[in-house]
Amino acid sequence: MSKFAPSLTVIAISVALLGCNQTQQQDPQVTINKNPYPSTYQALPRNSTLLTNATVLTGTGEKLEQADVLMIDGKIKALGAQLAGELIAGATVVDATDMWITPGIIDVHSHLGVYPSPGADAHNDGNEVTNPNTAEVWAEHSVWPQDPAFNRAREGGVTTLQILPGSANLIGGRGVTLKNTPATTMQAMKFPDAPYGLKMACGENPKGAYGRGQKVAPMTRMGNMAGYRQAFIEATEYKRAWDKYESDYAAGLNPQAPERDLTKDTLKSVLEGEILIHNHCYKAEEMAMMVDLGKEFNYHSGTFHHAIEGYKIADLLAENGNCAAMWPDWWGFKMEANDMIVENVAMVDAVKNSCAVVHSDSSSTIQRLNQETAKIMYSANQHGFELTEEHVISWITSNAAKSLGIADKTGSLEVGKNADVVIWNSNPFSVYAQVNKVFIDGAKVFDRQDDAYRAKSDFMLGQQ
Amino acid sequence: MLAGLLPAIVQADTLAVTNAKIYTSTDQGVLTNASVIIEDGKIIQVNPEVVTADTIIDAKGGILTPGFIGAMNSLGLVEVSQEKMTRDTNDKAADMTFDPSLAFNPKSVAIPFARKGGITRNIVAPGGGETIFSGQTIEVTLTGDWDSVIATEQALFVSLGAKHDGSRIIGMQNLINKLDERQKALTKAKSKKSDKDAAKDPTKEELIINAVLSGDKPLIAYADRGSDILQLIKLKQRFNIDLVLLEAADAITLADEIAKAGIPVVMDALRNLPESFDSLHNSLDNAGKLSKAGVKVVLATPGDAHGNYALRYSAGNAVANGMDYQEAMASITSNVADTFHLDAGRIAVGMPADIVLWSGDPFEYSSHIEKMWIGGEEQSTESRQDVLRDRYMTKSSMPQAYTK
């Protein structure tokens, strides 16, 4: 064999090397568009507005008496006593004497739009009960913006809400955070730059929907755990493949991109910390395992929703930085809701570094989250707590914002935050309190005294 | 030992609650700085000039109300709703004779929880079966004692309106036909007294319909849509029955007609969403508007077994949305009694001593029960929920299982 004639083996090797040679041209990099349905939200027409002489609960633990709130360009510009001096020309002044002002109410758990009113078969869009893991579905794709309940919720002071898929599945899909501004598209309600949530569900629902209902896994709570773990094992592999692809590409190689998988895309984003977990989970022992599951796969277990037994593990939740979103008094509808106590939220809240939230999961009580909070505050205070209005308002404002990953934007009345503001005609923890006005990003979106600011859904228009 | 065998000579003790603001739910309205005297489980005096009693409780200006009365719920029939073995509300075979008293469990943990809301008495409704007739309601007190059932076979409950499979027509037709056939039979029996058929014992169902036709037994009809309500108004006029509407979302669209026909409406004050095409007119101000139109309104949490402790807050919300305060008070006390033919619901002489002493406005979240009595017996307001809370509030080096 001539020494000039390269061996077949050598040819094969050089071809192989050439395949990922730095000098070879790279194919265009395959990237995943993480925001394919972007927010088109725009604040409604607004004016600079000064609200004067109210009792203000800031959402940061403060109660200001006879205080003013100034909103300019959709942001909280100032708050405190007698801000008239800072008033800019042409600003609207609202006399809020004898009224109370709070941050806009935030509900971290809603199915408005995906389980809308009226409850028609054709609108039953909240639970993709076709597989225990449907991380590929996004609640935003089910939202009917004309659900009349959005308007009722706004009249109860709700300015921001997370719409979640239902809890039939172990992994139900993505939730979306919306601004409660009337719109004809979901995108126009979508809270800009809010992280996505991922709905997970413990306990009776998934094992009931599959094991009992369809005779497929999961049949049991141990089946539930196996299901989450299998999903995250696969997601971890998927993430590793993409990480390798990206690092090889960055190194100048021309690697083959992994095959796209919508289900694993979502779980990969969880592993990357971009999507926050919202876990329907009632029982102490299950929440503790879900905390460990997060540690096993290196993601944070996020917010526990319903958390009927949160009070039994309040220390654990606080230590691990979990929020818990709870009701005051829903109980008895299933075994995992048997150990309800009205003071649950107060007990979860009482621990240092806690994050207690009051949520609705209801198109009815979303309208009265202030009253839900009142139930807890007064009942707890009757049993040794010393809760104040300025503290408990955080359960439906700033703590809720923290749970949704939007605390830098809303949830409290602080200079620079979005001007999401509610004026109440009296102490919001009274059964008689009503919302007087609601502002979202400084724009008036509801006014009980002015029909021009009372939105009506297309569906209700013309009904007899 | 011997004493126990002798007939007990009981000198009934009298109890007075003095210095109270009394919401009587009667024409007397609200009495301030007033007293009420109880003996043998009954109210024997309301605000006498001189108070004499074996025991006197100074209410210190607190508010005294009649015990609230829950209506058309499944209290005592269900422990955990989704656990079928703990639920006796429904059965395929249920017909109009379906009797909740045969299952009512006074030891349900839902009962002490309901007491926390000042509920002292309750109309338990059956869930029913495959026909429109769900069964009959019963009246219970919330003592938790074995003798809680006060009355059975009280009102006949019929469920009408939208059907997921089929048509609402069949339900309404069944009801009309049932009343029509029985009325004809009764007329016939009257005219032919010696007829063999007339001598035949009527069936239990026939007796029930007879009682509905005579007006002795109320007919509780669940219906939401206006067109159904209209049919029911006609039905009342035709057969002259004691008709009660349940839920009746569209009642507001026929308020004057309902008032004129003297039909009470049992409703959930918090319904304000168009949940279905049958209920497009739900609104928070319906309770107040109906009451202003002259309709006797009963506020309730229909169907529910666990949440009716919150009835007082529903009343508060109705007031916030335009209902007169005294009307709201009546809607959970005297109006319930009148609608379901109960001897209760008022602070008046001769009434059972079901009374509640409140720390403040009973509709407010900030208020709680100071003391409550059912039939003159003082009641506990502690429930399983309190015991659970206290267990987990107690610091211990041992697991909570040892804290009892």
Side-chain angles (χ1 to χ4, degrees), chain A residues 301-322:
Chain A
S301 40
T303 298
F304 290 109
H305 290 238
H306 315 329
I308 287 277
E309 297 185 3
Y311 64 97
K312 299 183 183 179
I313 50 160
D315 290 335
L316 175 71
L317 296 175
E319 273 164 29
N320 196 56
N322 293 108

Side-chain angles (χ1 to χ4, degrees), chain B residues 38-92:
Chain B
I38 297 165
E39 186 177 32
D40 267 346
K42 302 260 187 204
I43 293 167
I44 58 162
Q45 283 183 299
V46 177
N47 211 15
E49 288 199 4
V50 182
V51 173
T52 16
D54 298 316
T55 310
I56 295 179
I57 290 168
D58 183 355
K60 295 175 182 160
I63 291 173
L64 197 67
T65 67
F68 302 148
I69 308 175
M72 299 307 289
N73 56 55
S74 51
L75 187 68
L77 294 186
V78 51
E79 203 61 17
V80 177
S81 313
Q82 287 180 26
E83 286 300 320
K84 292 176 184 169
M85 294 286 280
T86 75
R87 198 176 63 198
D88 293 303
T89 50
N90 300 69
D91 196 297
K92 276 185 184 172

Side-chain angles (χ1 to χ4, degrees), chain A residues 427-440:
Chain A
N427 183 331
F429 303 110
S430 163
V431 76
Y432 305 115
Q434 287 189 314
V435 170
N436 181 271
K437 291 178 182 60
V438 179
F439 298 86
I440 296 179

Side-chain angles (χ1 to χ4, degrees), chain A residues 167-196:
Chain A
S167 52
N169 299 345
L170 297 172
I171 301 175
R174 291 195 197 197
V176 63
T177 297
L178 301 179
K179 289 191 182 253
N180 198 9
T181 301
T184 45
T185 67
M186 172 281 296
Q187 290 90 329
M189 298 176 77
K190 204 168 179 178
F191 198 115
D193 303 321
Y196 276 109

Side-chain angles (χ1 to χ4, degrees), chain B residues 205-224:
Chain B
E205 292 214 346
E206 285 169 348
L207 286 172
I208 291 170
I209 300 292
N210 288 354
V212 169
L213 285 166
S214 69
D216 293 335
K217 191 186 286 293
L219 180 73
I220 317 292
Y222 162 73
D224 268 327

Side-chain angles (χ1 to χ4, degrees), chain A residues 63-344:
Chain A
K63 180 186 195 175
L64 312 173
E65 304 282 2
Q66 295 177 310
D68 299 352
V69 176
L70 179 62
M71 305 185 283
I72 295 178
D73 294 334
K75 302 288 179 198
I76 303 290
K77 182 76 177 171
L79 66 168
Q82 294 173 333
L83 296 178
E86 296 195 30
L87 193 52
I88 58 165
T92 306
V93 178
V94 176
D95 180 3
T97 303
D98 297 330
M99 296 195 179
W100 288 54
I101 291 175
T102 68
I105 306 303
I106 300 172
D107 190 3
V108 301
H109 193 122
S110 174
H111 302 297
L112 299 194
V114 302
Y115 281 123
S117 305
D121 291 344
H123 279 175
N124 202 346
D125 287 324
N127 259 320
E128 186 66 28
V129 200
T130 52
N131 193 296
N133 175 9
T134 56
E136 71 275 13
V137 304
W138 299 17
E140 65 191 47
H141 298 147
S142 275
V143 169
W144 182 44
Q146 298 295 341
D147 182 354
F150 283 118
N151 297 328
R152 300 293 88 77
R154 191 178 314 109
E155 291 159 13
V158 173
T159 55
T160 302
L161 66 173
Q162 177 175 238
I163 310 302
L164 289 166
S167 52
N169 299 345
L170 297 172
I171 301 175
R174 291 195 197 197
V176 63
T177 297
L178 301 179
K179 289 191 182 253
N180 198 9
T181 301
T184 45
T185 67
M186 172 281 296
Q187 290 90 329
M189 298 176 77
K190 204 168 179 178
F191 198 115
D193 303 321
Y196 276 109
L198 178 67
K199 178 70 179 289
M200 295 176 70
C202 299
E204 296 180 30
N205 286 14
K207 82 190 184 85
Y210 293 93
R212 205 170 56 224
Q214 303 182 20
K215 302 291 176 220
V216 295
M219 174 75 83
T220 59
R221 285 185 157 86
M222 57 190 174
N224 286 354
M225 287 303 293
Y228 315 123
R229 296 179 78 202
Q230 193 58 43
F232 277 107
I233 285 168
E234 289 167 14
T236 303
E237 292 300 328
Y238 183 68
K239 180 177 181 298
R240 190 175 293 143
W242 275 98
D243 288 349
K244 181 167 191 317
Y245 168 74
E246 279 158 18
S247 62
D248 284 354
Y249 197 93
L253 306 178
N254 191 26
Q256 174 105 34
E259 191 178 343
R260 203 51 206 283
D261 183 307
L262 205 48
T263 310
K264 292 172 194 163
D265 275 355
T266 290
L267 299 181
K268 172 174 174 281
S269 289
V270 169
L271 298 174
E272 287 161 350
E274 292 171 358
I275 293 182
L276 307 178
I277 299 294
H278 291 278
N279 191 172
H280 159 120
C281 207
Y282 287 70
K283 302 191 79 193
E285 67 274 19
E286 289 183 315
M287 288 187 273
M289 288 188 289
M290 296 309 277
V291 166
D292 277 352
L293 180 78
K295 290 174 181 166
E296 182 182 6
F297 292 98
N298 201 27
Y299 68 86
H300 189 261
S301 40
T303 298
F304 290 109
H305 290 238
H306 315 329
I308 287 277
E309 297 185 3
Y311 64 97
K312 299 183 183 179
I313 50 160
D315 290 335
L316 175 71
L317 296 175
E319 273 164 29
N320 196 56
N322 293 108
C323 293
M326 297 158 280
W327 299 295
D329 55 5
W330 272 22
W331 71 291
F333 47 97
K334 47 183 168 174
M335 281 308 295
E336 60 195 11
N338 206 38
D339 284 1
M340 173 280 288
I341 64 169
V342 176
E343 300 80 12
N344 187 18

Side-chain angles (χ1 to χ4, degrees), chain A residues 116-121 147-149 152 155 204-205 212 311-313 328-329 331-335 338-343 347 363-364 367-368 371-372 374-375 378-379 382-385 429-434 448 459-460 463-464, chain B residues 78-83 109-111 113 116 164 253 270-277 280-281 284 305-307 309-310 312-317 319-321 325 361 363-369 384-386 388-390 392-393 400:
Chain A
S117 305
D121 291 344
D147 182 354
R152 300 293 88 77
E155 291 159 13
E204 296 180 30
N205 286 14
R212 205 170 56 224
Y311 64 97
K312 299 183 183 179
I313 50 160
D329 55 5
W331 71 291
F333 47 97
K334 47 183 168 174
M335 281 308 295
N338 206 38
D339 284 1
M340 173 280 288
I341 64 169
V342 176
E343 300 80 12
M347 284 174 70
S363 52
S364 180
Q367 306 172 44
R368 285 178 296 280
Q371 295 188 30
E372 295 290 274
K375 281 180 193 167
Y378 286 115
S379 191
Q382 209 193 323
H383 295 104
F385 288 78
F429 303 110
S430 163
V431 76
Y432 305 115
Q434 287 189 314
R448 194 169 291 275
F459 175 75
M460 293 308 290
Q463 297 284 1
Q464 314 241 335
Chain B
V78 51
E79 203 61 17
V80 177
S81 313
Q82 287 180 26
E83 286 300 320
V109 296
I111 289 173
F113 191 68
K116 294 163 88 72
H164 200 270
T253 62
L270 298 178
R271 279 180 93 194
N272 74 335
L273 291 165
E275 303 133 1
S276 75
F277 280 84
L280 298 179
H281 295 92
L284 292 179
H306 301 94
Y309 97 105
R312 65 190 184 107
Y313 308 133
S314 285
N317 274 279
V319 171
N321 289 282
Y325 191 97
D361 179 353
F363 297 164
E364 264 291 15
Y365 294 100
S366 54
S367 306
H368 60 265
I369 293 177
R384 176 171 182 268
Q385 288 75 16
D386 296 292
L388 266 171
R389 178 200 59 235
D390 290 347
Y392 282 88
M393 291 280 284
Q400 276 86 3

